[in-house]
Amino acid sequence: MSVLLATEHLTMRFGGVVAVDDVSLSIEERELRCLIGPNGAGKSTFFRCLTGQYRPSAGRILWRGEDITGLEPHQIARRGIGIKTQVPSLFDGLTALEGVVLALRRQHREREARRRALAVLERLGIAELAHRPVGLLAHGQRQLVELATVVAPAPDLIILDEPTAGMSAEETAGTAALIRDMNRDHAIVVVEHDMQFIRAIARKVTVFHQGRVLVEDSAEAVLADPRVHDVYLGRPPEARQAVPA
Amino acid sequence: MPGEGPGRASANGRAAFEAALGLLAAGIAAWWLPQMLELFSIINATVYTAMAVLALSLALVWGFGGILCFGQAAFFGLGGYAYAVAALNLPDTTYAVPIAILVPSLAAAALGYVMFFGRISDVYMGVITLTVTLILFNFVNSTAGEEWRIGAAPLGGFNGIPTTPPLNLPGDPGTPLAPEQIFVLAVLCLGLCYALCKLVLRSRFGRVVVAIRENELRAALLGYDVRLYKLGIFTIGGAMAGLAGLLFANCVFVSPTMFSLAYSGQIIIWVMVGGIGTLLGPVIGAMLLQALTAWVGTLPEINPNLILGLVLLVAVLAIPRGLQPTVAGWLRRRLPEDAA
Ligand SMILES: Nc1ncnc2c1ncn2[C@@H]1O[C@H](COP(=O)(O)OP(=O)(O)OP(=O)(O)O)[C@@H](O)[C@H]1O
Ligand SMILES: [Mg+2]
C-alpha cells in the first residue's frame, strides 16, 4: 500500500514546552488509525501542525510525497485533509444545512451540494436538525453536525479529534458505524479515549506520550502493553479499566 | 424582512424578491418626493440618501464581513475627491463616475491586502483604518496652497473644492443635472446598492463571507482562502462608500471633513443603531439619526452633542440588537401566523 501522509521528525515547541517531539509517523491510503495518549500528550497539537494551523518548529510533512510543511490551512484542506477539531468548530450563526452545503460548495454546484448535504445529515441521523441554527444545539448534536461538515466533501484523509465526546451511547455507536463505513474509501485518523470504541474500529494504534510516539502496534498488542498501562494511570476510570491490568 | 411572501419560497427567490422590493421603494421615493419637497429639503434628502449608501457600505463590511472598519469615511472622502478632481478635468462629468468608484475601490483593495494578507489582528485593523483616515484628513487639510492642484482642480485645503461641477446629462456636458434629478439619482443608487448587497449575500461568495464571520478557522479548514474573501467584501464596501462620496459631492461639495473621524464614528453608530447584520436597519438608522441631528441643531440653548449622546445611550440600552431585529421580532410576535 502507498503512503498517504508522512511526518518526518515533526517538532512543535512553545517556548520551553515541546508539545510534539520528533514525531515520524506515516498513514497509508485508506488506513484506519487510532491515536491515543493521556491529556497533554500532544495529539491535538500534532493535528494542528498537519492542518496548517501551526507552523512546525522543525521537521517535514509529506502528502503523497509532496512537502506541504508551512502551507496555509486552506491549501492543505484543498489537497484533501479534513479535520473535526477537539472543541467543535462550527458556523454557529448558520443552520446545520447551510454549513454542510458550504463545505460541499467548493466542489459542487448549489443544487448538487444541497442534495449531498441533506444525504449526509440523513446518514448521521440528524436530518431533523437541518434548519436549526448550530449555535442552539446540544453538545453531542454539535459534534454530529461538525462530523457531517467534515465528511461531506469526502476528503482523502479525515482527522477526528475525540469525535464522540459528549455523545450519547446511541450517537457513539452511530459514529463508530459511520467511521467504518467512511473507511472503505478514506483514510481516517481518530483520537479516542474510549477503549471499547478503539477495539471496535481500529487495526493499528499509535500511543502518544509527552509529545513522542511511545508505541505503535495492533490494537490488541497496544492495549496489553504495560507501558501504555503506566502512561494511562491517573486517567479517568473508563480509560484505566479498559487497559488490562 | 418582516411579512415576506410564501413561506417555502426558495432563499434565492426571496433575496431576489427583497432586492426588487428595495428597488421598487426607491423608485416610488424618487418619483414622489421631488414633487412634495422644496429645494432646500430636496438637497437635504439627497445628503441623507448619500449617507444611507455610506451606512450600507459599512453594514456589509462590518455586519456581514465581521470587519470593524473605523475608516469607512476615508473611502467616502476618496470617492468625493476623485469625482471632484475628475469632473473639473474632464469635459463630460459622466466619465468622473467610474473614476470616483474605482479610486476608493483600489484604495480599499490595497489597504485590505496589507491587512488581510499581513495577518494583522482585529484590534490593529481598527488602528490601521483609523490611522489611514487621520493621515488622509491631515493631508487634504494641508493642500491649501496654489501648488496643490491636479490639472484644473485645486485641492483647496480646508476649504475643499466648492467649484465642483455637478453631473451632467450623460453625453450632454452643457446640461447639468438639477437638484431634483440628483436626488432621484441618489435614491436609485441607494436602491441599487441595497439590491446588490442582497444578491451578494445570497451568492456563494457572500455566504462564505458570512461563514468566515461566524468561524474563520472552520472556513479555512474547509479550503476557503479567508484572506481573499475578506479582501473582496472590503473592496466592495470601499466602492460603495466611494459612490456615497460621489453623491455627496453632487449635493454639497467636497471638503476634508469627509475624511474626519467624526464621520467614521457616525457611520459606525448608524449601523449599530440600525442593527449589526442587517441592511435595512442601517439605512433607516442613518436617515433617522441625521434627521435627529438636524433637528437638535435647531434647538436653542441646548448642546446638541449632549442630546445626541443621550439618545444614543438610550438606544443602545433599550434596543441593544438594533432597530431592524427589534422591529422584526416585535412584528413576528404580533403576527404569529407569519412565523414559519
Ligand atoms: N498554543 C500553545 N501554547 C503553549 N502551549 C501549548 C499550546 N498548545 C498546546 N500546548 C501544550 O502542548 C501540550 C500538548 O497539548 P495538546 O492539546 O496537543 O495535548 P492532547 O494530547 O491533545 O491532550 P488532550 O487529550 O487533553 O486533548 C500541552 O502541554 C499543552 O499545554
Ligand atoms: Mg487534544
Side-chain angles (χ1 to χ4, degrees), chain B residues 67-88:
Chain B
I67 305 160
L68 177 49
C69 176
F70 285 107
Q72 205 63 11
F75 307 124
F76 175 67
L78 279 175
Y81 269 81
Y83 171 77
V85 169
L88 280 167

Side-chain angles (χ1 to χ4, degrees), chain A residues 14-15 17-20 37-46 48 54 86 161-162 191 193 208 235:
Chain A
F14 300 104
V17 181
V18 190
V20 175
N39 293 113
K43 308 177 293 289
S44 298
T45 306
F46 179 66
R48 287 207 179 99
Y54 288 157
Q86 184 168 357
D161 199 345
E162 308 202 16
V191 170
H193 289 305
F208 263 53
R235 278 211 49 80

